[in-house]
Amino acid sequence: MGKYFGTDGFRGEANVTLTADHAFRLGRFLGWYCGRHDLSRPAEETIAYHRPRIVVGKDTRRSSYMFEYAVAAGLAASGAEPHMLHVTTTPSVAFVTERENFDGGVMISASHNPFSDNGIKLVNRHGEKIGDDTIAIIEAYLDGGAAALGLTEAEMWNGDLPVATGADVGAIVDHVAGRNRYVGYLISLAAHSYKDFRVGLDCANGAAWMIGRAVFEALGAKTYVTGDRPDGLNINVDCGSTHVERLKRMVLEEGLDVGFAFDGDADRCIAVDERGNEVNGDHILYILGKAMKEQGSLANNTVVTTVMSNMGLYRALEDAGIDYVQTTVGDRFVYENMVENGHVLGGEQSGHIILRKYATTGDGLLTAVMVMERIVESKLPLSKLAEPVVMYPQITRNIRVPDKDAVLRHPAVQAKLTECNTRLGGVGRMLLRKSGTEPVVRIMAEAADEAVCEAYVREMADTIASEKLTCEES
């Protein structure tokens, strides 16, 4: 991770750590860089100059409009053509970028974070998140200007990147048609009608608030929707994939067959079964992995998980004869492992599920469609499909700190982590990791008993506090 970019783009509090000037300058950089370089290739490789075409989407938070216009202005000032999808999902930006041969894509969203935060996610022409080498170049420009990119005074304009003039100024293009093609793509992937199903959707007052209903109604489901009244301030507030209580109530009160909750930019999906029980990303990985194994489409007989996946998932996969690997947390790292090793299914407990045959990123709506396909094909309720995954109690506590790396490196913290894992043996584990998007470290304990988990998390929190690492529970 860099100074500005974490595991999922440049994220921070709007107009505090992420400003409109940052967005404008990112647009200026992309408009200049993508005319000369391929975002998916090493920076030293150049291409013949052309006018870049960049997809731009946003979620519903109030500041997204400000950042959208700032990015678009920066792109156009550097001679690029921003194509505006307007309010849309992160996976739709990746889809349109890759399918319609754009040079790159920009998504304005802070995902599951509160409305006061925002973020800028960048994808290359293949719809994949950009790599660390490119991030390093962007950060060098943000801190050092055009000189940091090796431009001479003669190549600069007022000490910055050159600007386009006359007919070379970029045109800002409305491209809502691209978003509509994405909706059509999702619909086309379903092999069955859902006309006999009552489906609930919680769109988190976010990017899926229109698209979710459109997809499931087109597929014939009797659709019940909540979290579809965005006002710029209520994104993720007591709704969506991080707050499934509202969806659980709706499923039970309306007698629905299944419910799906998405986050602010709809790259996550958490399901609710017909009994009102949460079905998280680990359950979904098992359900889809088992279905793909039966169909002969699970390449390498392997599911890619992260270190945060529950031991219950691993037990269920073993019982089903399915192999698994672990990566560090972040759907970017899951995807990189999948590409490197030829795997086709991976994801996170949080609901980022990557189906590489269909998408280059986690896609909440795609995941919901694939789960529905499994329900229809198996003629089983979601509760029965998820039943083999018996989740171990897992307690996570976030500790706010000024220096995440200092906490993780501290000898006393490392010693306590080793001691706890030794004591837990093979019947549990403890994990300490830093967030890629927030100034917190996360303490996670997993064991057969919730009280044991709580005790171990408390021990670690006390250790961090006793070392005066300026901790505060969040």
Side-chain angles (χ1 to χ4, degrees), residues 23-216:
F24 176 73
R25 296 187 70 217
L26 276 169
R28 288 276 282 124
F29 173 86
L30 288 172
W32 172 82
Y33 188 86
C34 290
R36 298 158 178 82
H37 303 272
D38 183 337
L39 280 172
S40 65
R41 305 294 299 170
E44 56 268 20
E45 295 184 15
T46 59
I47 58 178
Y49 177 77
H50 65 289
R51 184 191 291 276
R53 298 163 61 249
I54 307 293
V55 177
V56 181
K58 67 174 182 288
D59 69 15
T60 58
R61 65 194 75 221
R62 177 172 291 185
S63 62
S64 290
Y65 295 79
M66 170 183 72
F67 288 126
E68 174 194 40
Y69 295 140
V71 167
L75 287 165
S78 286
E81 287 191 345
H83 283 58
M84 316 303 284
L85 298 185
H86 308 291
V87 173
T88 193
T89 67
T90 290
S92 75
V93 170
F95 171 85
V96 173
T97 301
E98 190 269 332
R99 291 299 177 99
E100 299 186 23
N101 299 313
F102 283 87
D103 294 283
V106 179
M107 178 64 184
I108 312 297
S109 176
S111 189
H112 60 284
N113 284 27
F115 87 92
S116 53
D117 289 348
N118 217 320
I120 301 177
K121 305 181 183 185
L122 307 177
V123 297
N124 64 30
R125 65 186 181 90
H126 303 297
E128 302 164 333
K129 294 181 179 180
I130 62 171
D132 290 336
D133 291 346
T134 308
I135 288 172
I137 296 169
I138 296 172
E139 296 202 339
Y141 168 68
L142 292 176
D143 279 340
L149 303 177
L151 272 66
T152 66
E153 284 292 333
E155 294 172 309
M156 297 183 201
W157 175 80
N158 286 348
D160 203 346
L161 292 171
V163 293
T165 58
D168 291 331
V169 173
I172 298 176
V173 180
D174 183 283
H175 195 56
V176 69
R179 183 182 68 192
N180 293 340
R181 276 190 282 274
Y182 167 73
V183 172
Y185 173 69
L186 291 177
I187 295 168
S188 74
L189 295 178
H192 304 87
S193 168
Y194 305 157
K195 66 181 181 65
D196 296 325
F197 291 86
R198 296 159 59 84
V199 179
L201 305 176
D202 185 340
C203 298
N205 292 314
W209 79 275
M210 292 184 293
I211 295 176
R213 182 190 295 273
V215 170
F216 277 86

Side-chain angles (χ1 to χ4, degrees), residues 199-206 208-209 212 223-229 234 236-251 258-264 266 268-270 272 365:
V199 179
L201 305 176
D202 185 340
C203 298
N205 292 314
W209 79 275
T223 307
Y224 298 73
V225 185
T226 186
D228 61 340
R229 296 290 185 271
N234 62 358
N236 300 313
V237 175
D238 297 325
C239 59
S241 62
T242 53
H243 301 280
V244 295
E245 296 78 14
R246 181 189 298 185
L247 181 60
K248 288 180 176 181
R249 288 195 300 272
M250 185 168 73
V251 167
V258 64
F260 299 104
F262 313 110
D263 62 337
R268 299 186 186 192
C269 174
I270 297 293
V272 172
L365 288 163

Side-chain angles (χ1 to χ4, degrees), residues 163-412:
V163 293
T165 58
D168 291 331
V169 173
I172 298 176
V173 180
D174 183 283
H175 195 56
V176 69
R179 183 182 68 192
N180 293 340
R181 276 190 282 274
Y182 167 73
V183 172
Y185 173 69
L186 291 177
I187 295 168
S188 74
L189 295 178
H192 304 87
S193 168
Y194 305 157
K195 66 181 181 65
D196 296 325
F197 291 86
R198 296 159 59 84
V199 179
L201 305 176
D202 185 340
C203 298
N205 292 314
W209 79 275
M210 292 184 293
I211 295 176
R213 182 190 295 273
V215 170
F216 277 86
E217 288 189 347
L219 291 171
K222 175 65 175 175
T223 307
Y224 298 73
V225 185
T226 186
D228 61 340
R229 296 290 185 271
D231 61 12
L233 307 179
N234 62 358
I235 188 170
N236 300 313
V237 175
D238 297 325
C239 59
S241 62
T242 53
H243 301 280
V244 295
E245 296 78 14
R246 181 189 298 185
L247 181 60
K248 288 180 176 181
R249 288 195 300 272
M250 185 168 73
V251 167
L252 293 174
E253 290 170 3
E254 300 290 346
L256 306 185
D257 297 295
V258 64
F260 299 104
F262 313 110
D263 62 337
D265 65 337
D267 61 356
R268 299 186 186 192
C269 174
I270 297 293
V272 172
D273 70 23
E274 76 285 357
R275 299 173 180 172
N277 297 314
E278 180 177 332
V279 176
N280 64 31
D282 282 349
H283 293 105
I284 293 171
L285 283 174
Y286 171 79
I287 292 167
L288 298 184
K290 191 167 186 291
M292 293 168 72
K293 179 181 175 67
E294 291 173 0
Q295 296 159 4
S297 60
L298 185 63
N300 306 318
N301 192 45
T302 298
V303 174
V304 182
T305 71
T306 77
V307 293
M308 288 297 289
S309 282
N310 194 279
M311 292 171 65
L313 168 63
Y314 299 133
R315 299 292 182 266
L317 289 175
E318 289 167 0
D319 290 344
I322 297 173
D323 298 328
Y324 56 85
V325 295
Q326 287 184 328
T327 74
T328 190
V329 174
D331 62 329
R332 170 188 163 190
F333 303 113
V334 171
Y335 180 75
E336 288 174 355
N337 184 284
M338 293 170 69
V339 171
E340 182 178 350
N341 297 289
H343 304 315
V344 294
L345 175 65
E348 300 184 281
Q349 189 182 108
S350 61
H352 281 125
I353 306 296
I354 302 175
L355 293 134
R356 199 159 72 87
K357 179 179 178 180
Y358 306 112
T360 58
T361 185
D363 187 331
L365 288 163
L366 169 63
T367 300
V369 169
M370 290 298 110
V371 171
M372 280 300 303
E373 289 294 289
R374 182 57 172 166
I375 291 172
V376 176
E377 290 166 356
S378 67
K379 298 181 173 59
L380 294 172
L382 183 57
S383 62
K384 195 69 176 177
L385 293 173
E387 190 175 60
V389 182
V390 180
M391 302 292 284
Y392 280 55
Q394 194 178 75
I395 302 294
T396 300
R397 182 179 300 175
N398 296 337
I399 305 291
R400 190 168 294 272
V401 298
D403 188 337
K404 295 178 282 188
D405 289 319
V407 174
L408 297 184
R409 289 194 306 261
H410 198 282

